[in-house]
């Protein structure tokens, strides 16, 4: 027996969505990747960075990225931090705020990786259930845990909590309220203004979905300078490599390209949701780049398997609160037309 910490020995580890080897043979709608390529300016910036300069360490602060993001969102750069995927931020937030035996919480269903990260840290985890109208069941007047993660838009369900509800939560959370806005670029609203207004609100974003850069591992957080300073102490000092830093700046600068991709995905999402309703699917109106939908017999696994046979990958969760449906990433219009045809055939 190797002398592992007990919590590490006991934990199962997170299982990411399936990435098939023969990618080209599949229509891949299972991990909320963007169907469009990154901006050509991003590719150009990465290629310009490839060369002898790679022998040198990158800028430890990723300052150019912070400044570009700060400009875009209307904050001072001290309110921004760049990360090696937003997963790095979630991890470091737990390390910064929740010690061993202290509590963090999140909503079930939402992003279960918070739970894995807390287990590594030895923190306790509480989950709040959703009510029928997408609010939190039994949320106390004052939640005393160290961190509360609110995924908004909710993943995998796709609905959003209204801003005034999030604002109310900020007042009821004694610790930090982390609004995980991985999908906010596809929604109508976001919580950035609450970061300015409340000391305990942190917003995290990722480049993986709306900026088509899941493969680069890029995320950022907006929070008070004291919070950012704490996150800066904890992170790997060279957390972003040179290529990632170049990609981040170029992606943030090319807002025209970004807006056009987001527009197409939102348009396809609305069209696809309508088609699902024609097929008698139950569809939750989505603000993300995915839709959660249930077939008429509420057997998510049956439809998952039938799609798998046809080389179409979607996400099925065996969790009893989710097994009645599927989370389907919005691909190109052409991919979604093929999916609709397959679903009509499967019945
Ligand atoms: C994709 C996703 C993340 C992780 O983003 P990365 O930047 O790829 O690490 C975080 N939270 C939610 C809710 C996500 O869906």
């Amino acid at each position: 027996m190797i002398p592992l910490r007990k919590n590490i020995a006991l934990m199962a580890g997170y299982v990411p969505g399936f990435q098939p080897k023969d990618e080209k043979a599949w229509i891949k709608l299972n991990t909320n990747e963007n169907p469009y390529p990154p901006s050509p300016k991003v590719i150009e910036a990465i290629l310009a960075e490839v060369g002898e300069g790679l022998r040198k360490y990158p800028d430890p602060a990723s300052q150019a990225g912070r400044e570009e993001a700060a400009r875009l969102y209307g904050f001072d750069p001290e309110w921004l931090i760049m990360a090696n995927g937003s997963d790095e931020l979630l991890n470091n937030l737990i390390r910064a705020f929740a010690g061993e035996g202290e509590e963090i919480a999140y909503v079930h269903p939402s992003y279960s990786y918070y739970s894995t990260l807390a287990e590594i840290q030895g923190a306790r985890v509480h989950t709040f259930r959703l009510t029928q109208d997408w609010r939190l069941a039994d949320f106390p007047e004052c939640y005393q845990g160290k961190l509360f993660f609110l995924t908004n838009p909710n993943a995998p369900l796709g609905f959003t909590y209204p801003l005034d509800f999030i604002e109310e939560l900020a007042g009821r959370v004694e610790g930090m309220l982390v609004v995980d806005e991985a999908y906010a670029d596809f929604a109508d609203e976001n919580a950035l203004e609450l970061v300015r207004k409340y000391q305990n609100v942190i917003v995290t974003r990722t480049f993986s979905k709306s900026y088509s850069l899941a493969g680069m591992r890029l995320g950022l957080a907006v929070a008070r300078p004291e919070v950012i300073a704490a996150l800066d102490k904890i992170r790997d000092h060279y957390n972003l490599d040179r290529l990632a830093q170049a990609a981040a700046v170029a992606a943030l600068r090319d807002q025209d390209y970004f807006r056009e991709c987001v527009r197409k995905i939102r348009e396809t999402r609305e069209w696809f949701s309508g088609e699902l309703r024609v097929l008698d699917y139950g569809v939750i109106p989505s603000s993300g780049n995915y839709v959660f939908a249930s077939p008429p017999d509420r057997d998510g696994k049956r439809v998952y398997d039938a799609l798998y046979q046809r080389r179409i990958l979607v996400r099925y969760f065996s969790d009893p609160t989710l097994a009645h449906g599927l989370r389907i990433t919005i691909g190109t219009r052409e991919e979604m037309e093929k999916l609709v045809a397959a679903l009509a055939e499967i019945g």
Side-chain angles (χ1 to χ4, degrees):
M1 285 282 280
I2 52 170
L4 275 179
R5 286 167 64 206
K6 201 164 122 207
N7 53 324
I8 305 297
L10 290 175
M11 66 182 280
Y14 184 76
V15 183
F18 175 55
Q19 301 284 3
K21 287 227 169 57
D22 49 343
E23 242 175 70
K24 291 253 150 57
W26 293 82
I27 294 181
K28 192 173 174 306
L29 307 172
N30 67 330
T31 50
N32 294 348
E33 288 144 335
N34 197 307
Y36 302 108
S39 155
K41 291 182 180 152
V42 169
I43 314 278
E44 227 174 84
I46 293 171
L47 291 178
E49 201 61 34
V50 173
E52 76 84 33
L54 289 180
R55 79 191 160 74
K56 293 178 293 177
Y57 281 111
D59 170 14
S62 306
Q63 194 58 28
R66 285 188 209 224
E67 283 170 12
E68 201 59 46
R71 230 185 334 269
L72 180 63
Y73 301 132
F75 284 82
D76 287 332
E78 299 76 55
W79 292 62
L80 262 293
I81 186 169
M82 306 296 292
N84 184 8
S86 70
D87 284 346
E88 184 199 14
L89 291 165
L90 304 175
N91 190 12
N92 287 345
L93 283 166
I94 293 180
R95 291 166 76 198
F97 287 100
E100 220 168 299
E102 293 183 321
E103 186 175 293
I104 70 124
Y106 68 101
V107 177
H108 177 76
S110 72
Y111 191 43
S112 64
Y113 190 51
Y114 310 126
S115 188
T116 306
L117 294 170
E119 283 175 51
I120 296 170
Q121 178 73 352
R124 286 184 296 120
V125 178
H126 184 81
T127 54
F128 290 99
R129 280 175 307 107
L130 287 167
T131 59
Q132 293 291 330
D133 59 348
W134 308 138
R135 294 294 181 273
L136 309 182
D138 305 320
F139 199 84
E141 219 26 72
C142 177
Y143 173 65
Q144 296 187 335
K146 297 293 174 183
L147 281 165
F148 179 60
F149 291 96
L150 188 75
T151 319
N152 195 47
N154 177 279
L157 298 178
F159 69 85
T160 53
Y161 308 93
L163 264 186
D164 56 359
F165 175 74
I166 302 174
E167 183 158 5
E168 189 197 317
L169 279 183
R172 287 167 67 174
V173 171
E174 200 176 88
M176 304 300 289
L177 172 63
V178 181
V179 188
D180 180 345
E181 293 197 333
Y183 302 101
D185 287 327
F186 302 104
D188 296 330
E189 287 187 330
N190 64 64
L192 285 177
E193 66 179 72
L194 300 183
V195 175
R196 245 187 281 272
K197 216 163 148 186
Y198 294 90
Q199 284 201 9
N200 64 337
V201 176
I202 299 166
V203 163
T204 61
R205 297 275 179 95
T206 173
F207 290 63
S208 297
K209 283 84 184 212
S210 53
Y211 284 96
S212 308
L213 286 170
M216 279 318 281
R217 311 305 303 126
L218 279 166
L220 62 83
V222 188
R224 306 236 141 203
E226 309 89 271
V227 175
I228 298 297
L231 292 172
D232 265 321
K233 280 192 213 169
I234 295 173
R235 64 177 170 81
D236 284 357
H237 32 269
Y238 300 118
N239 62 336
L240 263 70
D241 64 55
R242 284 177 173 266
L243 307 189
Q245 290 192 34
V249 171
L252 292 168
R253 271 193 195 146
D254 198 352
Q255 286 295 303
D256 287 346
Y257 183 88
F258 162 80
R259 273 193 294 265
E260 180 57 14
C261 285
V262 168
R263 186 196 65 74
K264 283 190 284 193
I265 289 168
R266 286 173 53 123
E267 183 179 272
T268 308
R269 175 184 77 200
E270 297 315 306
W271 171 81
F272 176 62
S273 301
E275 293 296 304
L276 285 174
R277 290 191 183 101
V278 172
L279 295 173
D280 277 334
Y281 272 61
V283 183
I284 300 172
S286 173
S287 298
N289 66 337
Y290 52 91
V291 167
F292 194 89
S294 315
D297 68 353
R298 297 178 67 79
D299 186 350
K301 185 68 165 54
R302 177 185 65 85
V303 178
Y304 172 86
D305 287 337
L307 289 172
Y308 190 95
Q309 294 291 321
R310 290 166 171 79
R311 291 280 179 272
I312 299 176
L313 265 185
V314 297
R315 190 80 186 254
Y316 164 75
F317 302 92
S318 58
D319 184 292
T321 62
L322 298 169
H324 59 88
L326 296 168
R327 189 197 68 190
I328 304 169
T329 304
I330 303 301
T332 61
R333 171 73 182 235
E334 194 192 357
E335 289 173 320
M336 301 321 274
E337 283 172 2
K338 286 185 184 149
L339 171 59
V340 168
L343 290 174
E345 208 177 277
I346 291 163

